Amino acid sequence: MLQSNLAYKLPLTEEPAHVASKDAKLSFVHVVVAFFAFLIGILGGLLQGLARGGIIELPAWLGYYQILTAHGVLLALVFTTYLIFGFFFAGMSRTHGAFSDRLRKMGWAGFIITTIGTLMAASMIIANEASVLYTFYAPLQAHYIFYSGLALFVVGTWVAGAAIMAHYFQWKKEHPGEPTPLFGFMATATLILWVVAGLGVAATVLGQMLPWALGMTDEINVLLSRTLFWYFGHPLVYFWIMPAYMVWYLVIPKVIGGRLFSGSLARLAFILFLLFSIPVGFHHQLMEAGITEFWKYIQTVLTFVVVVPSLLTAFSIFATFEQTGREQGGKGLFSWIKKLPWGDVRFFAPFMGMLVFIPAGAGGLINASFQLNAVVHNTLWVVGHFHLTVGTTVILTFFGMAFWLIPVITGRRLTKSMNRSGMVTTWLWTIGMFLMSGAMHILGLFGAPRRTAYTTYQDHPQAMSWFEGIFASHITVAIGGVILTAAGILMFYNFIYLAWFAPKGETEFPMTPDPDDTPHTPALLENWKLWIGIAVVLILFAYTIPIYDMIVNAPPGSPAFNNLIR
């Protein structure tokens, strides 16, 4: 049969699939906030695409850069972060046992602080006092409440992350000498990455932008602020991708009826992400004056090292697919592919995300190559790349995750109709992104800039050609955006149904059985002091001298620019 495991009919697990009820509530509130932010974010994206394509004209009270900021912040930061933490709280309860009351209270405190920060930042975006885009680049200046909200958002996630990591290390203390469950290991690696990376954005927000917005300083060191942002901004991408990888490594093998190919290989990949995804921010600043070629070269080399754990992941996951397909009777070179559950949205949505990650990763290598970056820098190519990596690979994986995570934490079941709805959602999202992101890539090669509203540059022939092509056209971008919006609204409906209206019942938290090599896991892979120490050394090597030079030999500071975005 084409499907070995339907979404609504799971094989028996080797251990009880259980998330403590109190932990499930904490997970659920994170998921709820995530999907309401998602709905608002995709509607903002629809308006943005239609306005940039010249199809509609926004009313005077609604600014293009206002909705662009809301779209980026709500989808790329709020939706992803809340869903990741909801996933982590449920998964840690499932694999490491229920949280203690003290740690659970820490989790709730983190949620409350993060939500207060989210509301503060969002209120300023709505009031058009923070139309500074997702990157909030200086010298564009937002209201001080926006920066305060960002700071609280980051601090809140640190508090919640501390609760999760403390739960992990408590398990290690109670089980000396045992390899920790892969879920806890991977979640801890992801959170350490998040905390260390967050120091950069906290430093620029608290040390530069907030005093600047409060009028305590008249100017800001733009080069330093952008460097600190990208110290955070690139590992932020891996903060999104690593939980998606966790679904690929830990959940998908169970969904397809198998087990992970190698636990040691998975641990090594996450360690490499921790080491090499932070000291690489300069590849976002290859066209930035004030950073010497030597340091750009160093961080470019480190950027290409990050490709290694992604290749390890590709090998491990597809080896898992083939191993499982052959165990279920697949013969020949490729016939095992037929044994995979193509009609199960929990597998199909993440799998489509995996496929898209192939061209997305290739585009990332182009962005990080100095000569090629000079061609695509600050064009729509970069936006198209971002929508492939985060907007497709991560989002589709999170969609697939939602179809089992929400029933697990609400005590409901995934029905046949919901599975079909999820399949339709996946196809719509994939088709819409193919049109939108594909057109963005080509328009970028033709010179269409990013971060701009609708304009024909006084009917310049080059700019007019961006609206006249069949595929390489802003109109195609808008059409893709419409299809994506339809998929997003359908996904929000799926969320509402699964959260409150699906039939009551028990749903398994799918988790791969321990890989065969688990008893032989090298103890070195769980030596966190060693890996954190190496990560710190790499960061200091890559950033100390450049940042020192930016401070001691600071370029002229810039005054605030805010009248251009009102």
Side-chain angles (χ1 to χ4, degrees), residues 407-447:
V408 164
I409 59 180
T410 58
R412 298 181 183 274
R413 292 187 294 108
L414 174 61
T415 62
K416 294 182 181 180
S417 62
M418 264 297 98
N419 185 68
R420 286 194 296 268
S421 180
M423 296 292 290
V424 172
T425 302
T426 302
W427 276 115
L428 283 175
W429 193 272
T430 303
I431 294 168
M433 195 61 76
F434 172 78
L435 293 173
M436 188 183 80
S437 178
M440 285 178 170
H441 277 83
I442 298 176
L443 283 167
L445 293 177
F446 289 166

Side-chain angles (χ1 to χ4, degrees), residues 349-366:
F351 181 83
M352 294 303 288
M354 295 177 199
L355 288 185
V356 171
F357 200 51
I358 298 172
L365 296 179
I366 291 172

Side-chain angles (χ1 to χ4, degrees), residues 96-139:
H96 292 66
F99 283 79
S100 66
D101 289 340
R102 179 179 66 86
L103 293 181
R104 193 179 298 113
K105 288 177 181 177
M106 281 183 63
W108 278 105
F111 169 79
I112 292 170
I113 296 170
T114 303
T115 304
I116 291 173
T118 300
L119 294 174
M120 290 171 64
S123 66
M124 290 298 101
I125 297 173
I126 293 171
N128 203 20
E129 293 288 339
S131 299
V132 291
L133 312 189
Y134 154 75
T135 52
F136 54 92
Y137 268 178

Side-chain angles (χ1 to χ4, degrees), residues 476-543:
T476 307
V477 172
I479 293 172
V482 171
I483 298 173
L484 283 167
T485 303
I489 293 174
L490 181 57
M491 187 62 213
F492 185 76
Y493 162 76
N494 297 336
F495 153 69
I496 293 294
Y497 181 85
L498 290 171
W500 287 288
F501 299 103
K504 290 283 188 178
E506 290 293 327
T507 295
E508 177 196 33
F509 189 123
M511 186 65 61
T512 180
D514 287 339
D516 293 335
D517 64 346
T518 298
H520 310 293
T521 300
L524 182 68
L525 290 176
E526 300 216 25
N527 188 336
W528 290 107
K529 292 180 180 179
L530 171 65
W531 302 122
I532 294 173
I534 294 175
V536 170
V537 169
L538 285 171
I539 292 168
L540 292 176
F541 169 68
Y543 276 105

Side-chain angles (χ1 to χ4, degrees), residues 231-372:
Y231 167 91
F232 159 79
H234 188 78
L236 173 63
V237 174
Y238 289 93
F239 173 69
W240 301 321
I241 290 177
M242 288 165 72
Y245 278 10
M246 289 172 65
V247 174
W248 300 0
Y249 274 115
L250 304 179
V251 174
I252 298 302
K254 181 66 175 180
V255 170
I256 66 176
R259 70 175 65 227
L260 181 62
F261 175 72
S262 170
S264 298
L265 198 62
R267 293 174 197 267
L268 176 61
F270 271 65
I271 289 296
L272 292 176
F273 279 129
L274 175 62
L275 296 182
F276 294 106
S277 64
I278 299 178
V280 296
F282 283 171
H283 82 246
H284 290 269
Q285 298 174 272
L286 292 178
M287 299 297 111
E288 192 94 56
I291 304 173
T292 66
E293 288 79 2
F294 173 78
W295 293 109
K296 290 177 181 177
Y297 172 77
I298 291 295
Q299 295 206 17
T300 297
V301 171
L302 293 175
T303 299
F304 279 84
V305 177
V306 183
V307 176
V308 174
S310 291
L311 293 176
L312 291 177
T313 298
F315 171 80
S316 182
I317 298 304
F318 280 88
T320 299
F321 291 166
E322 181 174 0
Q323 172 182 274
T324 302
R326 294 192 182 282
E327 287 175 353
Q328 295 177 359
K331 305 294 183 181
L333 190 60
F334 296 113
S335 61
W336 55 269
I337 296 175
K338 297 179 181 179
K339 298 297 181 178
L340 300 177
W342 297 106
D344 185 339
V345 68
R346 300 167 310 156
F347 165 75
F348 183 69
F351 181 83
M352 294 303 288
M354 295 177 199
L355 288 185
V356 171
F357 200 51
I358 298 172
L365 296 179
I366 291 172
N367 296 342
S369 303
F370 190 89
Q371 294 88 343
L372 295 175

